[in-house]
Amino acid sequence: MNSEDASVATPASAPRVIPRSEHSISRNHISPNALRVLYRLRDAGFMAFLVGGCVRDLLLGLEPKDFDVATDALPEQVKRQFRNCRLVGRRFRLAHVFFGRETIEVATFRATSAPSQGDEPLADADPEDGEAPELDEPQAETAREGGSERVVDAAGRILRDNVYGTIDEDVWRRDFTANALYYNIADFSLWDYVGGVADIAARRLRLIGDPETRFREDPVRMLRAARFEAKLGFTIDPDTARPIAALRELLAGVPPARLFDETLKLFLTGHGARSLEVLRRRGLLAALLPSVDRYLAGHPGSLVEKLLLQGLVNTDARVLADKAVTPTFLFALLLYGPIAAAIEAAPAARWHELATILAACDQAVRDAQVRLTIPKRFSLGVREMFALQPRLEHPRGRRALRVLEHPRFRAAYDLLLLRAQFGLAPAEMAQWWTRLQEAQPEERGRLVDAIAGEAHGPQPTPRRGGRRRRRRRQAAAPS
Ligand code: ATP
Ligand code: MG
């Protein structure tokens, strides 16, 4: 690094080239499809590098989630090399090379060091940016200036703004030094412009360039810092961490759909429990999900907090075991506190009523959407999970068998188990549903007939006073 201020990671004009013999990245750990793409580009005379998170993860001995390639070939030139290739993205064109279920993303080196808000990350975080329009730009006008291409529509809106550059310019658009290493397929060396290798060894997250400027360019980088802190167990360098407290409210200006995507990456990729801890400690939960942060701050050490943490721990275990996880269940966990608070704001006699529960869900979802979008299919799922809780707590004879068939039964049952674990629902009912699912059809009949004769069976309306008292003790039970 050639910066006078050692704490600012300024890219050097030439990389430190670390030969194959001096680093640990082996082609055995690189996806064969990524290698195919790299070799093909190299053989066609282009530069081709693995870049970003995959290089970082390979150095850490982790299995990369996906492999990204950077090249000096222009997108059209990349496309010509592969039959299974599509160009995506309007603002920044990227090539996606498809191999069955695996997609290798190939990006041309870019010279834009200061992307405008929402331009990063590339294609996948901006669903509207999906397929680039090839034919539907009748009024589009192209202006070429020194290797860049800007396409504007009749109203002046920028449709495409590609500014291609060289690899040493490309480094600048990367966020953290650990994410800015390039693995060169020409000789298997590693190119390091920013001290990324040393930072990875020290398990340190450091923004490239002036941290405040880089967070202002793209406030999502604050969430990315928290995500990598949680995922990798890295420490955020003090100079990178410092501006976060003052800048976190800039997340208000980020498109809500992008914040939803980031939220899923924080909580559904195997380190959700740690993400919650980091987001709270860095004051970022208040900027991302203010109502959830307020609830947790107002109820320290509450059963709801324990339920949320345990739910995230369970979700992390599922991710590790390659089991499916859903945004619906995640938001049911995150919004449990706000939903319970909204229920408890109603008169106690109404807490069990479906209308109260649904109104509480709707209010909690509305409040949660100040910063991020929760797509309808997930918020409706949360509603169904909570609406099913009273039916799970008080099964009504043979109707219980129909509840088993409900498409949201499994998620609602998992929530019931968690609630029961923390005394927020009767444990014997959770066990009963477990038995019912495991039972053979004839035994199921006996189980539901037995419950019909017990206190948990059909409920008279209005509820008895005793039930109400029990509910009060079960602080924050959502039914
Ligand atoms: P993950 O393990 O989650 O895939 P990643 O580092 O690969 O982590 P991606 O979102 O896949 O993260 O992005 C790939 C690379 O693109 C990053 O490593 C980084 O170099 C660059 N990048 C992505 N998003 C940004 C951003 N918001 N600002 C700057 N650079 C970014
Ligand atoms: Mg990645």
Side-chain angles (χ1 to χ4, degrees), residues 350-415:
R350 300 234 167 104
W351 289 355
H352 66 279
E353 288 174 11
L354 196 59
T356 308
I357 295 171
L358 293 180
C361 290
D362 294 343
Q363 188 189 321
V365 166
R366 262 197 315 277
D367 293 346
Q369 301 212 83
V370 290
R371 292 291 157 81
L372 51 80
T373 307
I374 306 176
K376 258 253 146 54
R377 62 187 183 282
F378 304 127
S379 57
L380 289 177
V382 171
R383 252 174 151 244
E384 289 177 317
M385 282 174 65
F386 278 85
L388 278 169
Q389 296 305 307
R391 289 168 75 184
L392 295 181
E393 283 184 67
H394 316 293
R396 294 171 172 221
R398 298 234 157 210
R399 285 193 216 171
L401 296 177
R402 259 193 281 143
V403 176
L404 276 185
E405 307 304 322
H406 194 287
R408 207 63 71 179
F409 168 77
R410 187 64 210 197
Y413 162 75
D414 284 340
L415 183 62

Side-chain angles (χ1 to χ4, degrees), residues 223-374:
L223 295 178
R224 290 175 58 84
R227 175 154 68 87
F228 295 127
E229 182 178 6
K231 168 181 167 152
L232 306 168
F234 278 26
T235 311
I236 305 183
D237 185 67
D239 288 319
T240 294
R242 198 168 302 116
I244 292 178
L247 299 181
R248 64 186 183 197
E249 283 304 312
L250 292 178
L251 285 169
V254 175
R258 191 170 170 214
L259 290 184
F260 173 76
D261 288 345
E262 287 299 322
T263 303
L264 299 193
K265 289 187 196 167
L266 279 157
F267 289 108
L268 292 185
T269 56
H271 47 81
R274 277 210 306 276
S275 287
L276 183 72
E277 186 272 313
V278 174
L279 287 174
R280 291 188 71 190
R281 177 158 46 77
R282 304 234 168 245
L284 287 165
L285 191 66
L288 184 66
L289 285 161
S291 59
V292 177
D293 189 68
R294 268 197 309 276
Y295 184 92
L296 295 175
H299 301 76
S302 62
L303 292 176
V304 169
E305 179 178 339
K306 294 196 172 87
L307 174 144
L308 167 57
L309 262 177
Q310 186 61 51
L312 292 175
V313 166
N314 297 351
T315 302
D316 291 342
R318 289 184 64 89
V319 173
L320 241 66
D322 264 332
K323 292 187 189 162
V325 291
T326 67
T328 297
F329 197 80
L330 171 67
F331 280 98
L333 292 175
L334 289 169
L335 299 186
Y336 194 100
I339 290 172
I343 290 175
E344 286 169 5
R350 300 234 167 104
W351 289 355
H352 66 279
E353 288 174 11
L354 196 59
T356 308
I357 295 171
L358 293 180
C361 290
D362 294 343
Q363 188 189 321
V365 166
R366 262 197 315 277
D367 293 346
Q369 301 212 83
V370 290
R371 292 291 157 81
L372 51 80
T373 307
I374 306 176

Side-chain angles (χ1 to χ4, degrees), residues 110-130:
R110 278 188 356 214
T112 40
S113 62
S116 59
Q117 247 173 50
D119 283 351
E120 297 276 5
L122 307 174
D124 60 347
D126 195 354
E128 289 155 8
D129 253 16

